[in-house]
């Protein structure tokens, strides 16, 4: 893995990815309601543990914005000590799914549901970080956050708002610069600029609180496992495992299209994520997923093997151990700006517009999934989206066509049914049959049906009994 021929490229890419990951790790931790160091711990595990596995060669793992909402809700409901238990259980579930070769099945999840999930996460993230940007305590529910957003102007700390807005402006402008000028990641430049501005102007804004990585690591105790006795906690475990797995494997599919190296082994990658989340849980840290931003940066920076993602974890560990106090100078508003920008990038505006023109039903599933997440929570919203996707697929595949042919010199009407007859199409099917001439003998030909469920079979048998009986078949003539 550390071959001399590729080490130079992998080493350089690891530095770039480490610089990108640092502010994101801290920002995700703060948004999740946990100490900032725990985000860095998850980033380190994503590199030094998950990075060694052979599932995906260039994909980079760490704490992701996509799980902030779920983690925040879990911490508020069960407390920070129980977080490690929930994450470890989710990791064990992922590990089991990988060993049972369930990884490939995640490719069957509706893309509209995934985009809807990301859109819902983005909306919830934006709604929460708008309050963090102004230094205002946010309401617990997303709908309450949206309802109270109009009154933020009279409560906000405008110095913090200016720092956060400046951070977003730097991030947007940085992407428009020529590639040769973007040697340093935009997130690091934006956070560094906001930190320097706050220090030079001595702005009284709230900053990141740091206790030290070793002090922040808190392995779960046996009594913390009692949280798993509740149905809600088990639902959170399932949600973390499924959402982290889906985000990881969809990210893998995207990363595979960006390079010509070995393709991802989905089952091995799921095992790697399971081991990583199990480790994070035992350390009391945040859950991890593969992160498309860091993974794309890794590919663009010229990485050749998985050595780059292992080394990026080493850089994060070095910074956390050698320069922990440097984080205390970072304004929370700057991290809120980074996450606001990340939340906006999660909104699939172009995807919705394209689907509305080409596959309107998929667009409805996407928007409904996002709306359900905003109105309820991440887990329930995704279940709503999956239910709608299954219902839509069942409706579209349940197509029945009726062909009418006269037989026996016009005495019998043969009705041939072609397609899939399920209860979803039963009302339309019966309406078509009831529209046939009354009193006319009818023979139903079901040989063209690919599927006939029990509801349709019962209804068709009952309909046939109400029609006039078919005339007797003519006797064959005897040959003398």
């Amino acid at each position: 893995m550390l071959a001399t021929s590729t080490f130079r490229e992998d080493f350089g890419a690891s530095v770039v990815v480490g610089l990108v990951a640092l502010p994101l790790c801290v920002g995700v931790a703060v948004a999740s309601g946990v100490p900032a160091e725990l985000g860095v711990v998850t980033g380190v595990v994503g590199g030094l543990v998950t990075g060694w596995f052979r599932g995906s060669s260039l994909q980079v793992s760490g704490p992701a914005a996509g799980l902030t909402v779920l983690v925040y809700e879990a911490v508020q409901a069960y407390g920070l000590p129980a977080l490690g238990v929930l994450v470890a259980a989710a990791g064990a579930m992922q590990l089991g799914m990988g060993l049972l070769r369930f990884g490939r099945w995640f490719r069957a999840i509706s893309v509209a549901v995934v985009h809807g999930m990301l859109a819902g996460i983005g909306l919830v993230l934006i709604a929460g970080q708008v309050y963090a940007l102004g230094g205002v305590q946010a309401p617990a529910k997303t709908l309450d956050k949206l309802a109270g957003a109009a009154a933020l102007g009279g409560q906000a700390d405008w110095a913090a708002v200016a720092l956060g807005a400046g951070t977003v402006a730097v991030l947007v402008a940085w992407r428009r610069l020529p590639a040769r000028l973007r040697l340093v990641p935009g997130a690091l430049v934006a956070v560094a600029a906001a930190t320097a501005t706050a220090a030079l102007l001595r702005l009284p804004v709230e900053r990141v609180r740091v206790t030290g990585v070793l002090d922040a690591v808190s392995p779960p105790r046996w009594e913390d496992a009692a949280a798993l006795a509740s149905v809600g906690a088990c639902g959170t475990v399932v949600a973390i495992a499924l959402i982290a797995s889906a985000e990881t494997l969809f990210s893998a599919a995207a990363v595979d299209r960006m390079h010509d190296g070995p393709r991802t082994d989905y089952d091995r990658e799921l095992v790697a994520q399971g081991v990583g989340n199990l480790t994070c849980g035992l350390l009391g840290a945040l859950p991890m997923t593969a992160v498309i931003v860091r993974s794309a940066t890794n590919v663009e920076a010229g990485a050749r093997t998985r050595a780059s993602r292992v080394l990026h974890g080493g850089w994060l560990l070095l910074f956390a151990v050698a320069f922990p106090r440097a984080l205390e100078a970072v304004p929370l508003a700057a991290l809120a700006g980074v996450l606001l920008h990340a939340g906006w990038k999660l909104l699939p505006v172009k995807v919705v517009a394209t689907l509305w023109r080409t596959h309107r039903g998929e667009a409805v599933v996407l928007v409904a999934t996002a709306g359900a997440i905003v109105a309820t929570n991440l887990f329930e919203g995704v279940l709503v989206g999956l239910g709608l996707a299954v219902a839509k697929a069942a409706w579209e595949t349940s197509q029945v066509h009726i062909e009418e042919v006269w037989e026996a010199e016009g005495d019998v009407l043969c009705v041939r049914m072609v397609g899939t007859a399920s209860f979803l199409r039963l009302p339309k099917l019966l309406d078509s049959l009831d529209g046939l001439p009354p009193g006319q003998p009818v023979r139903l030909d079901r040989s063209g049906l690919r599927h006939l469920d029990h509801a349709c079979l019962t209804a068709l048998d009952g309909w046939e009994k109400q029609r006039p009986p078919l005339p007797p078949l003519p006797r064959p003539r005897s040959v003398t």
Side-chain angles (χ1 to χ4, degrees):
M1 183 181 68
L2 295 175
T4 306
S5 59
T6 62
F7 180 75
R8 179 179 300 177
E9 292 88 347
D10 290 329
F11 183 85
S14 71
V15 175
V16 175
V17 177
L19 293 176
V20 170
L22 182 61
L24 293 177
C25 289
V26 175
V28 169
V30 172
S32 301
V34 304
E37 299 90 338
L38 292 183
V40 180
V41 171
T42 299
V44 171
V45 174
L48 297 184
V49 177
T50 305
W52 285 96
F53 284 79
R54 293 181 177 273
S56 177
S57 58
L58 300 182
Q59 188 163 246
V60 182
S61 300
L67 289 174
T68 54
V69 177
L70 192 57
V71 173
Y72 180 85
E73 292 174 352
V75 171
Q76 296 301 310
Y78 309 108
L80 183 59
L83 178 62
V85 174
L86 300 180
V87 175
M93 183 176 175
Q94 285 182 295
L95 180 58
M97 290 190 297
L99 292 175
L100 293 174
R101 303 181 67 81
F102 283 179
R104 68 195 67 185
W105 288 100
F106 279 88
R107 291 179 288 181
I109 297 177
S110 168
V111 176
V113 174
V114 175
H115 281 302
M117 177 189 74
L118 295 177
I121 291 168
L123 291 171
V124 174
L125 194 59
I126 290 171
Q129 294 308 305
V130 164
Y131 286 82
L133 191 72
V136 179
Q137 182 67 32
K141 296 184 177 180
T142 303
L143 293 178
D144 294 336
K145 293 174 185 175
L146 295 174
L152 278 176
Q155 310 172 49
D157 180 350
W158 288 101
V161 171
L163 282 177
T167 302
V168 174
V170 172
L171 285 169
V172 173
W174 197 254
R175 293 179 60 86
R176 300 179 182 276
L177 294 177
R180 63 180 182 277
L181 299 179
R182 289 186 277 113
L183 299 177
V184 182
L188 188 66
V189 173
V191 171
T195 303
T197 301
L200 291 173
L201 300 180
R202 297 182 180 180
L203 297 178
V205 294
E206 192 172 358
R207 290 171 168 79
V208 176
R209 295 185 179 92
V210 177
T211 59
V213 173
L214 295 181
D215 295 331
V217 171
S218 178
R221 300 165 296 178
W222 283 112
E223 50 267 31
D224 297 330
L228 294 175
S230 80
V231 175
C234 292
T236 299
V237 169
V238 173
I240 291 175
L242 294 183
I243 293 171
S245 300
E247 187 170 343
T248 292
L249 299 182
F250 275 102
S251 173
V255 173
D256 281 348
R257 291 194 293 268
M258 299 174 63
H259 66 88
D260 299 325
R263 305 294 93 179
T264 297
D265 184 317
Y266 286 85
D267 297 317
R268 284 185 176 181
E269 183 63 14
L270 201 52
V271 169
Q273 295 294 319
V275 172
N277 273 320
L278 185 58
T279 305
C280 287
L282 295 177
L283 296 175
L286 290 172
M288 73 166 64
T289 74
V291 187
I292 188 63
V293 175
R294 274 164 256 185
S295 302
T297 301
N298 192 37
V299 175
E300 293 170 0
R304 302 285 298 279
T305 70
R306 65 186 190 278
S308 60
R309 58 185 191 172
V310 174
L311 290 171
H312 116 274
W315 293 121
L316 288 176
L317 179 61
L318 177 63
F319 185 91
V321 172
F323 310 104
R325 295 299 170 187
L327 297 176
E328 291 186 333
V330 177
L332 289 180
L335 298 179
V338 171
L339 291 174
L340 273 175
H341 184 257
W344 175 258
K345 289 171 64 178
L346 289 175
L347 302 182
V349 179
K350 293 182 179 179
V351 173
V352 173
T354 302
L355 287 178
W356 187 255
R357 292 192 301 267
T358 57
H359 299 86
R360 191 158 295 183
E362 293 289 300
V364 171
V365 172
L366 191 158
V367 174
T369 303
I373 290 173
V374 171
T376 56
N377 56 55
L378 188 59
F379 182 57
E380 293 177 8
V382 170
L383 289 182
V384 168
L386 290 174
L388 287 175
V390 171
K392 171 182 170 294
W395 177 262
E396 290 180 345
T397 56
S398 180
Q399 299 286 344
V400 180
H401 303 286
I402 292 180
E403 301 172 356
E404 301 177 15
V405 179
W406 288 97
E407 295 180 344
E409 298 180 354
D411 294 333
V412 177
L413 179 61
C414 175
V415 176
R416 185 170 187 268
M417 294 174 287
V418 180
T420 302
S422 72
F423 70 95
L424 294 173
R425 296 290 180 176
L426 185 55
K428 181 180 179 181
L429 181 60
L430 291 178
D431 286 344
S432 298
L433 294 177
D434 290 339
L436 298 175
Q440 174 67 46
V442 175
R443 183 174 68 85
L444 295 182
D445 180 2
R446 307 174 188 177
S447 61
L449 291 176
R450 295 188 299 272
H451 172 74
L452 178 65
D453 69 7
H454 183 264
C456 285
L457 176 62
T458 303
L460 292 177
D461 288 343
W463 184 88
E464 281 186 300
K465 291 178 181 178
Q466 297 175 0
R467 303 292 297 189
L470 295 173
L473 294 174
R475 294 181 179 179
R477 296 179 180 179
S478 62
V479 179
T480 59

